[in-house]
Amino acid sequence: MSSEFERATALQSIVHNGEERRYSGDIPDLWQQGKGAFGGVTVGLLTRAIVLAEADRGRTLRSLSAELCAPALPGPVEIAVTSMRRGGSMSFVEARLTQGDALVAHASASLAAPRAIAPAAIRPVPPRRPPWRDVATIPVEAPLGPVFAKKYEYRSTGPLPFASGPEPAAEGWIREKETPTVLDEAAIAGLLDAWWPAILAIESAPRAVATVGYTMQLLVDPRSLDPAEPLFHPARAGGGSDNFFVEMRELCSADTVVAMNQQTFALLS
């Protein structure tokens, strides 16, 4: 059985015309964060369309950069994926998610086949963390949390929101409550966005926050991981001004960094 996130980001192919492929989807209710669906669903839809549009299964998603231009509302969406350049082993594409005539989100991405050369020695070192089974789950749901958060299981090992803490940080274990059939690129895009912004740890009361820029790098094929196992998620706000701030996030499995994520957030209130 598919998970709720898989169903929320399911796509149907509607057009294949030369260098462009089009897909349709339908964002269900109860995935909201504020006015629209949470960014993980929006980026997950873009990610799924980009992966589906690549005919060469040997080319996997390596990096994706997205801009969330407007709230994605519950209801039908359409995604157009266009090839920008196709090389001998790499593909560069862009995707546009629209509702009606309005552009909601845009992404560019690179996909590439593995390179048959000696691996580089540089490897990210994940932080120390306790076993996930030793960490209690915490409820994250409305009214203090967003509506979509009840779809995920959170086990926090760091500061909680609205605690007036000394540093803008957040960390803990996370997974979907309904185990996906496979942990794919779209699921990772959602997991990277599902945790609360680290800056809320230094606040004393709820603040409205929205993602406006999202960049993801995949370092491991997520399909090789157990979809039932939670991933460790450390995050830290790096700085900001004018009520915009940048946050760095990761997802880790065992001693391996699976994905890295940079987000630009806007404080709305």
Side-chain angles (χ1 to χ4, degrees):
M1 178 182 292
S2 61
S3 70
E4 285 194 76
F5 185 85
E6 287 174 306
R7 296 193 293 275
T9 58
L11 294 173
Q12 297 291 327
S13 177
I14 53 176
V15 173
H16 177 199
N17 182 18
E19 295 298 307
E20 182 181 84
R21 293 175 182 259
R22 288 183 176 268
Y23 302 89
S24 63
D26 199 308
I27 298 175
D29 198 9
L30 301 180
W31 279 97
Q32 287 91 336
Q33 180 179 9
K35 292 168 57 178
F38 102 101
V41 163
T42 305
V43 179
L45 284 161
L46 289 165
T47 301
R48 195 173 298 287
I50 286 167
V51 172
L52 286 172
E54 175 54 60
D56 183 353
R57 294 295 94 187
R59 301 188 185 198
T60 59
L61 185 66
R62 304 292 173 171
S63 67
L64 178 144
S65 180
E67 293 79 38
L68 284 71
C69 309
L73 303 177
V77 301
E78 186 171 304
I79 304 175
V81 182
T82 305
S83 174
M84 295 189 291
R85 185 182 187 280
R86 188 172 185 84
S89 62
M90 293 192 70
S91 302
F92 298 89
V93 301
E94 63 177 2
R96 293 167 56 89
L97 187 150
T98 56
Q99 288 191 307
D101 295 328
L103 175 67
V104 173
H106 170 272
S108 58
S110 64
L111 305 95
R115 294 185 178 273
I117 56 176
I122 299 174
R123 293 182 182 275
V125 179
R128 294 181 179 274
R129 62 268 188 181
W132 67 269
R133 290 183 176 86
D134 295 344
V135 182
T137 61
I138 61 171
V140 181
E141 54 190 37
L144 290 180
V147 173
F148 80 86
K150 65 182 180 180
K151 317 278 188 186
Y152 290 91
E153 177 189 279
Y154 299 83
R155 297 172 184 261
S156 177
T157 60
L160 295 176
F162 324 131
S164 299
E167 58 178 342
E171 66 174 39
W173 297 94
I174 187 168
R175 64 180 171 182
E176 294 180 41
K177 284 186 177 177
E178 282 192 11
T179 302
T181 54
V182 63
L183 195 62
D184 60 12
E185 300 89 345
I188 293 295
L191 287 164
L192 283 167
D193 194 50
W195 208 274
W196 56 82
I199 199 172
L200 294 183
I202 65 175
E203 298 290 340
S204 60
R207 302 286 298 272
V209 182
T211 301
V212 295
Y214 178 110
T215 301
M216 171 176 68
Q217 292 82 30
L218 284 172
L219 307 180
V220 172
D221 182 356
R223 298 168 189 272
S224 65
L225 305 175
D226 182 350
E229 290 286 313
L231 296 173
F232 188 72
H233 178 279
R236 182 176 298 273
S241 64
D242 299 326
N243 287 323
F244 290 87
F245 63 96
V246 175
E247 181 170 314
M248 305 302 297
R249 299 180 167 199
E250 295 179 356
L251 286 176
C252 306
S253 173
D255 293 328
T256 301
V257 178
V258 174
M260 292 181 168
N261 174 229
Q262 176 179 310
Q263 294 197 42
T264 300
F265 291 98
L267 279 173
L268 306 180
S269 67

